[in-house]
Amino acid sequence: RRTERIVITEHELVLERLSEAQGREEQRFVRRWVRVDLEEDRERELIGGLYLVSGATRTAIGTFLPPSERRELAGQLKAALAIPRI
C-alpha cells in the first residue's frame, strides 16, 4: 500500500512516494549534495533508519523494509551516487 521509487540522474536524485493515505509525493535532491545515512550499531548488529540527507533536510526512506534490505539499499544507493555519470 506504499511505494517508494528513487531515480538517480546525472544531476539529481528524485524520490517519488505513493501511498493510499497521502497520495503522490515527490522530493528532488541535488545529486552532488545528497548523501545516504544508515543508522547502524555494528557492535550489537542492529540496523536503524535509512535517510537521504541534504543540508538540513533529512528524509527517511524504506521504513517499511526489513533491516537487511535497508542495509542492502543503502549500499546500492551509495554505489549509484558514486558513479560520476549515469
Side-chain angles (χ1 to χ4, degrees):
R1 298 185 182 218
R2 289 180 56 193
T3 302
E4 291 179 345
R5 183 176 118 165
I6 296 172
V7 177
I8 300 173
T9 69
E10 184 177 346
H11 300 289
E12 68 183 354
L13 181 149
V14 181
L15 171 63
E16 297 175 5
R17 291 184 166 152
L18 183 61
S19 71
E20 286 183 351
Q22 296 179 321
R24 185 179 180 279
E25 258 180 60
E26 182 177 283
Q27 283 183 273
R28 293 178 176 270
F29 300 87
V30 175
R31 181 179 173 169
R32 75 171 66 172
W33 299 113
V34 68
R35 69 180 171 84
V36 178
D37 183 25
L38 177 65
E39 295 176 336
E40 191 171 11
D41 182 339
R42 292 177 191 224
E43 289 179 18
R44 297 186 301 173
E45 297 182 13
L46 298 174
I47 303 294
L50 176 58
Y51 301 90
L52 295 175
V53 181
S54 182
T57 302
R58 183 174 165 100
T59 304
I61 60 172
T63 57
F64 50 86
L65 296 174
S68 62
E69 289 183 23
R70 282 196 302 272
R71 177 188 281 157
E72 183 178 338
L73 178 58
Q76 291 171 347
L77 286 172
K78 287 177 182 180
L81 288 168
I83 298 172
R85 294 183 186 264
I86 293 181

